[in-house]
Amino acid sequence: MTLFKRQVISLTVLVCSIVSAATAQQLYSSYSTLKNQHIITSQTDINRALVILPQALTKLNASMLSKIQEQELLTITNQLFSNTYYSQINLASTNTNTRQLIRQDNLISTNHSPNWFQDIFKIPSHTEQRIIENDNQSLGLLTITVQPVLNYQLLWQISTRTVLTNIFIAIISSLFVYFICHKNLASLSRLTARAKTIDNLNQAPLSIPNETDLAIIVRAFNKICYQLDTNFKNQADEAMKLRQQAYLDTTSGLGNRSFFIHQLSSWLNESHKGGLGLIQTDLINECYQNEGFKKGDELIKTISARLNEVLIFNDATLARLSKDEFAILIPNISIEKLQLCSKSLVNIFNDLSTATTTINNNVSIGLVFNENESTPSQILTQLDNALTQAKIMSHDSVSIIKDINSQTTLGKQQWKSLLEEAISEDLFTYKYQPATLSNGSTYHYEVFTAIKKNNNYYSAGMFLGAIEDLKIGSWFDRHVIVAIINKLNADRTSGPFAINITNSCINDPSFIRWLDNLLQKNNSLSSRLFFEIQEVSCIRHTDATGILCSIIRKHEFGFGIDNYGRNFQSLTYLKELQPNYVKIDYVYTHQLNDQTKSTVLSSICRTAHSLNIKVIATRVETATQLERLSELFVGGYQGFITDKQPLTA
């Protein structure tokens, strides 16, 4: 219960208690006043009768009472005693021949107040006898019984008026209590609201309230928020610097040889289809020799910037292997696009060449197009061979080696047709690999999708490149998401599942609207469904990714960031997106015996850990690797160590 609610309830109870006590006191006072009112009234009437009745009785015939006299006597008594309140009036003579002169029984109405009210406030009836005398001579005996009709009626009216008035006062007082508490605790409410979003970066400090005690708390809170933001930014910067030291070439801003080798290994384990390039230029050595180190470093930075401009692919990897060598890796690229890309690369060095040199003397580009499983050493050997051929070619500066053992592959339009057929005929098959937390519980099962047709098996790595090129990831993602949701609805014990979102969907407004409606209709599955977003989308499409994540959070579904730490960018995007978990890129979980790499891994894990974000390591294969990871702020793991053969749908 919040302090505001507690204050409102407490003060409202206090007000109601005071009003109730006042009501009870007023009712008791009225009851005490009216309890004997009918007795006092009857005594007044009797005293008046003792004055009037002796005169009437003296005129009566003592031996016989005529009808006229009886009627006159009855009229007098009715005038003296109202039949509305007196239930019985009895007048008897007291001479030697005692006889009753008048006896009148009246029926008194009881509809003046409810029975339960009369049971609570009991007012007894009153009977009284008086001797009528004249000149010390007894003339008769008067007996009357009075009912508290008027008392009950007045008490009921007073009680209802008092209760209703006090209820109205209690309601008005409670409303005043609410508004006063709301006004007085407004500063505390703002402080509470900010505390719920304390993880968000760059929020304006709270205004200082007028209350001195709250002002002290708000100042302390603003200071803590500032320190948290500063500490997180420093931690993110530290993680970035450590990554740069281990995997970044400081001059060019690109990855170094170690980074490229690890990315190459990761790619070969994922899909092994794509293109690679090795670029060597003499411009750098000439610049260093002729113009000095400063100009040489500027030239390297210029080349790196131009390479980043030309290679616009989301998952492309760029690295500087040595003083004058650059390497590129573009997963899922076609041979045609790789050849077009080589022309753009040549144009970079054409623009940088001087008027007295020729491009063939200044740059050599070796390209390799691969489609089959291979090892990093085999790929690097092919790259060296391609670069050697490019150097000895007099007519061209580019040499490309195609895998001579490559199988017949499908073109983009063929992949599109196959995807359409797979969606219409549901040719998809799914495998599920568990992501396990350090306590042994399964956090979720990551969904791996493939197409199976006529005994041919097409993994996602084979057709994702074509999907991204054709911008049809929305088709694929919608089908997979609906299939998994149907599975979750059909089997309430299945899951949780994690579905990867393709990069092309991030900038598709129709997909965002579709997902919003779908999640709203299936809100009951929020605890059993996660979505995984590539880190490159968080960095290159920040706004679109933020919208997607906000929709997922709005419906209380979970999401994570895949390939966490792959890009050499600040990790502050974590605080804005606030994912449930991150999956560390394979480049950081490989070769953990290297102290430098372990330090980098520990740093980026601490950055996520400080925001209560779960850290999951991927491709964990051995118990030794798992034990080492558990020491580095890694809270979960995924790979063949948990399931040598992933579950199949």
Side-chain angles (χ1 to χ4, degrees), residues 251-252 281-288 291-307 320 323 326 348-349 351-354:
T251 305
S252 64
T281 176
D282 295 332
L283 292 175
I284 295 175
N285 284 328
E286 292 177 3
C287 188
Y288 273 120
E291 302 185 43
F293 286 99
K294 184 176 181 181
K295 290 291 184 181
D297 290 347
E298 290 178 357
L299 177 61
I300 291 174
K301 293 177 181 178
T302 302
I303 293 174
S304 302
R306 294 294 302 276
L307 288 174
R320 184 187 179 207
K323 183 177 181 180
F326 298 85
I348 292 176
F349 294 93
D351 295 339
L352 295 173
S353 297
T354 62

Side-chain angles (χ1 to χ4, degrees), residues 431-437 440-448 496-497 583 616-620 636-647:
K431 293 183 179 179
Y432 310 94
Q433 188 178 70
T436 307
L437 299 179
S441 62
T442 299
Y443 186 57
H444 66 234
Y445 294 89
E446 184 174 355
V447 180
F448 293 96
F497 295 119
K583 288 187 175 178
I616 299 174
T618 57
R619 299 188 188 177
V620 180
Y637 53 91
Q638 178 179 338
F640 289 110
I641 190 173
T642 58
D643 194 351
K644 297 296 182 182
Q645 296 295 330
L647 299 175

Side-chain angles (χ1 to χ4, degrees), residues 14-25 163 165-167 169-170 173:
L14 178 62
V15 168
C16 291
S17 300
I18 294 174
V19 171
S20 299
T23 302
Q25 190 275 333
V163 170
T165 301
N166 289 343
I167 288 176
I169 293 173
S173 300

Side-chain angles (χ1 to χ4, degrees), residues 21 66 96-97 122 164 193 217 219 244 322 374 494-495 513 627:
S66 66
T96 55
N97 298 322
K122 291 186 177 298
L164 291 177
I217 298 175
R219 287 192 184 96
Q244 291 173 351
S322 64
S374 186
S494 62
R513 289 192 297 270
E627 182 179 357

Side-chain angles (χ1 to χ4, degrees), residues 508-519:
D508 186 350
S510 63
F511 173 80
I512 301 297
R513 289 192 297 270
W514 173 85
L515 184 63
D516 187 11
N517 294 329
L518 183 68
L519 297 184

